Amino acid sequence: MSFETPLPPYNASDPHAVFLNASCLDLLLIEIVPMAYRLTDELAARTLGDSDGAADEEEQKEAAFRRLETLGYRVGQGLVERFSRDRPRFLDTLDVIKFLCKDLWTLVFRKQIDNLKTNHRGIYVLTDNSFRPFSRMSLQSPAEAATRAQPFLWFPCGVIRGALASMEINAIVQAETSELPGVTFQIKTIMAKS
């Protein structure tokens, strides 16, 4: 467990509160992508048997993406269920996005989102200039770094989408990085048809 004092939105007086050490989360985020690829390979080998070999690389990537995004989705739902229960109901989508940028991001990555932009038509762009999981990642060229870092964005995309879904906002979340450790998340809300 961490010796650091908990930051809000923790309720330190809650006797059932459980805190997570930040280094455990860092290690989980480092290992979760290789684990998703290993599971995808094992399932493909079982499905194909000993016949034609491994699955197509693009299919493997897509399966790993679905697995990581689904894991993140469930984590996002759980975090919001736990840490927004003591808050008044959000009035609009912008309030939900602000909660995500300030409170939820602080809870998971120990810092707030650096920049939030919106067109007020359902598209939000969140920029984190020093994304914590990428702070120790380094490769020889920036292009290689951006390509190798992309799978590590699938889990946080799922966390965002799950958090929004838990607050009754359907959205498509995409992430990109051009230079480490910066990341840009684009959220496109899907309006319910009346």
Side-chain angles (χ1 to χ4, degrees):
M1 297 303 280
S2 177
F3 293 109
E4 301 168 0
T5 56
L7 301 172
Y10 296 117
N11 183 358
S13 63
D14 182 6
H16 303 291
V18 178
F19 301 107
L20 174 69
N21 188 339
S23 61
C24 290
L25 181 62
D26 288 346
L27 293 171
L28 173 69
L29 292 175
I30 289 168
E31 185 54 31
I32 200 164
V33 172
M35 179 209 63
Y37 278 113
R38 278 193 309 270
L39 287 174
T40 302
D41 285 343
E42 289 173 10
L43 290 173
R46 247 187 254 151
T47 304
L48 296 174
D50 291 330
S51 59
D52 292 332
D56 181 277
E57 186 177 325
E58 193 60 37
E59 289 176 8
Q60 178 192 23
K61 186 176 177 180
E62 186 64 31
F65 163 73
R66 279 193 306 274
R67 182 175 302 280
L68 289 166
E69 207 269 345
T70 302
L71 286 169
Y73 183 86
R74 181 59 196 116
V75 168
Q77 282 183 321
L79 287 171
V80 167
E81 287 170 7
R82 169 121 189 197
F83 292 103
S84 70
R85 67 178 177 208
D86 297 333
R87 297 180 173 275
R89 192 140 181 94
F90 296 106
L91 300 175
D92 64 351
T93 306
L94 186 58
D95 289 338
V96 171
I97 300 293
K98 286 180 182 177
F99 167 76
L100 181 93
C101 292
K102 292 180 181 178
D103 298 330
L104 192 67
W105 212 255
T106 301
L107 177 70
V108 178
F109 298 111
R110 298 196 310 171
K111 67 180 284 302
Q112 292 183 4
I113 285 285
D114 295 317
N115 195 359
L116 166 64
K117 294 180 183 175
T118 182
N119 67 354
H120 297 287
R121 292 188 203 118
I123 296 179
Y124 302 89
V125 178
L126 286 58
T127 306
D128 190 341
N129 295 324
S130 58
F131 188 54
R132 187 172 170 84
F134 290 173
S135 63
R136 290 181 213 98
M137 188 179 283
S138 65
L139 294 167
Q140 292 179 354
S141 71
E144 180 189 10
T147 304
R148 297 280 306 267
Q150 191 64 36
F152 292 90
L153 294 173
W154 296 336
F155 182 81
C157 284
V159 170
I160 293 170
R161 198 173 70 81
L164 293 173
S166 186
M167 293 183 276
E168 301 176 1
I169 297 173
N170 291 325
I172 297 170
V173 180
Q174 298 173 330
E176 63 181 29
T177 182
S178 55
E179 187 175 327
L180 295 182
V183 177
T184 302
F185 294 93
Q186 184 176 22
I187 301 170
K188 295 179 185 175
T189 58
I190 303 169
M191 299 298 168
K193 296 180 181 176
S194 318

